[in-house]
Structure formats: C-alpha cells, structure tokens
Amino acid sequence: MRFSTASAILGLPLLAAADVPEYQAQFKNYLGQAQGFLGKITSKIPHPNKHDPVAAAEAKAGSLNMDTLALSNWKDTLYAPVKLGSTTPEEWWVLITGGNKTCFGHCDKIEAAFNETAGKWAVTPGSPHTALLNCENQPVLCNAWSAPVGAIWIFEVLPEPAPVNIWTKRFNMTTTTADDIVALQKEGYKSSAKLHDGFFHPFNGPLAKYGLGTPIGWILWVFNLLPSWAFMILVSLFSRTMMTNRMNQPEGGRRPPAAGQAVPRG
C-alpha cells in the first residue's frame, strides 16, 4: 500500500502558499517547526536501512565499478564525479531493485542484466556511471523518491545548484537482457524514457526544495507497515469524529448566544 499520491495532494496547498510573499515568513516558521518535529519522531524509530560499506566498496573497486546508493550517501555519490564549473552533465544509470518483500523475487534477472551492462561499461571509456538502489535495504530512500522496483533512473548531474534532469524507464523484469539496456543507451534514452518532473523528484521537486524528502520517506515507510485493516480503522475513526463534530453544531451553523446576549432575529 503506497501513500505517495495522497501525500502529494495533501501537501499541494501548503507548498502553493509558500510561493505567496505574504505567507513566506509564516511558512518558514511552520516549516522549521515541522522539520524539528519530524526529526524527533524519526530519531526514535528503529532504523530499517541496511548498508554494508565494505561490500559497497568491493563492488565499486571490482570489475563492475558500480556504486551502491543508501540514505546516507546517495547525494554525495551522484555528485562525486561532477567537476566544478562543468557544463556537461555526468550521466548516472541507477537500477531500482529489491528482494523478496519488495520485488517478490522477480528482480534477479534484471539485476543480472544490469550487472552485465555495468561490466561492459566499466571497460568502455565515456560510458555512464552505474549504481544500484535496493529498496529491500533502503525502504526510506525508495519511499522518499517514490521509486518503483524494476526501473532504471538516468540522472544528468551538473554542479550545484543547477537542476538535475532524471529520466525513468520501466523494464520487463523477466525478459530484459544486457543487450536491451545497452541498446537503450546507444540509441538515445530520451526517445523512450520519461522525464521525471514530479512531486518526489529528489533534486528539483517541492519536497527536496524544502528539505522534506527524507522525513516524508520515513512517514510513508511507517504507513506501508500498516495492514490495510488498520488503515481502514483510522479512516473510520476520523470520519466518525468529523460526523460527531458536525452533528454537535447548532442548526444553521449558529452558535448559541452567550449569557446576557440577545438572541439574534431571523
């Protein structure tokens, strides 16, 4: 169960208000309070992210020359090869993969194809950088990006603070081969991949702009732990509270007059 769309809809009025000059100071005040509150909450939640820096270093130093993205290193990793003042973006191909819980065991074939592709590119000058994001090990980051397994995200990274273009392409997880991925890169990915301009864009999106990407990732991860029946109970309780408040309002929406106050005429 995913709540990314609902969260985006709920957050739109707040982010729209942030662009109104009259509300900017008030919004920044509320934003600081929200970030502090969310930070306290997430600090008390058991950390679900698993990252083995030794294994990641071995993968980087090995024949694949592949990075492993984690909540703690993804931004530094993507910016690492970017040269100051460069006008040519560094191209990263990142496979969104998973395990039995997130991918139901169907990611093995596409991951093998991506690894084979990375091996070919590692010995070919001018080829893109490659990295893996495993949603089984990094659920908060995957939720923060709203990234589906079985997709390749292609990052065009320029020096900060330049915007970062991201192109996304879903693949068939049971039939994709290394030749398919290599062909996409040779023929030009922009003709078949989709330009990411959504709410959850990790660089250019509104959540990233206001520093809310990671806190939202934590919140969505917690919601995803709830079984559907628990979520329905919460919705039911909220609905009953709203109905009770509405029924307790006087007829016509008027409040009863205070003591000593004349009753308004109809």
Side-chain angles (χ1 to χ4, degrees):
M1 186 165 53
R2 299 185 69 86
F3 293 84
S4 56
T5 303
S7 301
I9 293 173
L10 291 173
L12 283 175
L14 181 61
L15 292 171
D19 290 329
V20 180
E22 292 81 359
Y23 294 109
Q24 284 182 352
Q26 186 178 7
F27 176 78
K28 289 180 180 179
N29 181 40
Y30 289 151
L31 178 62
Q33 295 178 19
Q35 288 174 331
F37 176 72
L38 291 172
K40 290 180 181 179
I41 292 178
T42 55
S43 65
K44 298 180 183 298
I45 300 176
H47 212 291
N49 302 308
K50 302 174 184 177
H51 179 61
D52 187 344
V54 176
E58 291 176 350
K60 178 64 177 176
S63 59
L64 301 183
N65 191 27
M66 183 186 297
D67 286 276
T68 303
L69 300 187
L71 187 64
S72 59
N73 75 352
W74 69 270
K75 199 168 187 178
D76 290 338
T77 299
L78 296 181
Y79 273 116
V82 179
K83 297 178 176 62
L84 185 65
S86 175
T87 57
T88 302
E90 292 290 337
E91 190 175 307
W92 280 89
W93 287 53
V94 178
L95 174 66
I96 314 297
T97 185
N100 291 329
K101 293 181 181 179
T102 52
C103 210
F104 304 103
H106 298 309
C107 284
D108 292 343
K109 184 171 180 61
I110 189 172
E111 190 169 329
F114 189 75
N115 289 342
E116 184 180 343
T117 304
K120 294 178 180 178
W121 286 348
V123 295
T124 305
S127 294
H129 308 280
T130 57
L132 280 179
L133 172 55
N134 190 314
C135 292
E136 194 94 351
N137 299 332
Q138 297 293 320
V140 173
L141 184 56
C142 286
N143 277 290
W145 290 7
S146 191
V149 295
I152 290 180
W153 285 31
I154 304 165
F155 294 75
E156 297 173 341
V157 187
L158 287 167
E160 294 186 281
V164 175
N165 287 334
I166 301 176
W167 299 79
T168 64
K169 172 71 175 176
R170 294 294 299 268
F171 284 86
N172 187 313
M173 291 188 290
T174 58
T175 62
T176 298
T177 65
D179 291 337
D180 297 325
I181 301 174
V182 171
L184 177 65
Q185 195 268 337
K186 285 184 177 180
E187 296 169 3
Y189 54 83
K190 294 182 180 180
S191 60
S192 59
K194 179 183 177 182
L195 180 64
H196 185 356
D197 58 356
F199 199 79
F200 288 82
H201 192 296
F203 290 95
N204 307 342
L207 294 180
K209 179 180 178 182
Y210 294 109
L212 296 174
T214 298
I216 291 297
W218 279 100
I219 292 172
L220 294 179
W221 172 71
V222 171
F223 273 131
N224 287 334
L225 296 179
L226 292 175
S228 57
W229 58 264
F231 181 70
M232 294 306 297
I233 289 176
L234 291 176
V235 172
S236 177
L237 291 174
F238 178 76
S239 301
R240 289 187 180 185
T241 301
M242 295 292 293
M243 290 298 296
T244 301
N245 291 339
R246 181 172 296 182
M247 292 176 65
N248 287 338
Q249 289 182 354
E251 186 177 354
R254 295 178 178 176
R255 295 183 179 180
Q261 182 179 352
V263 178
R265 297 181 181 181

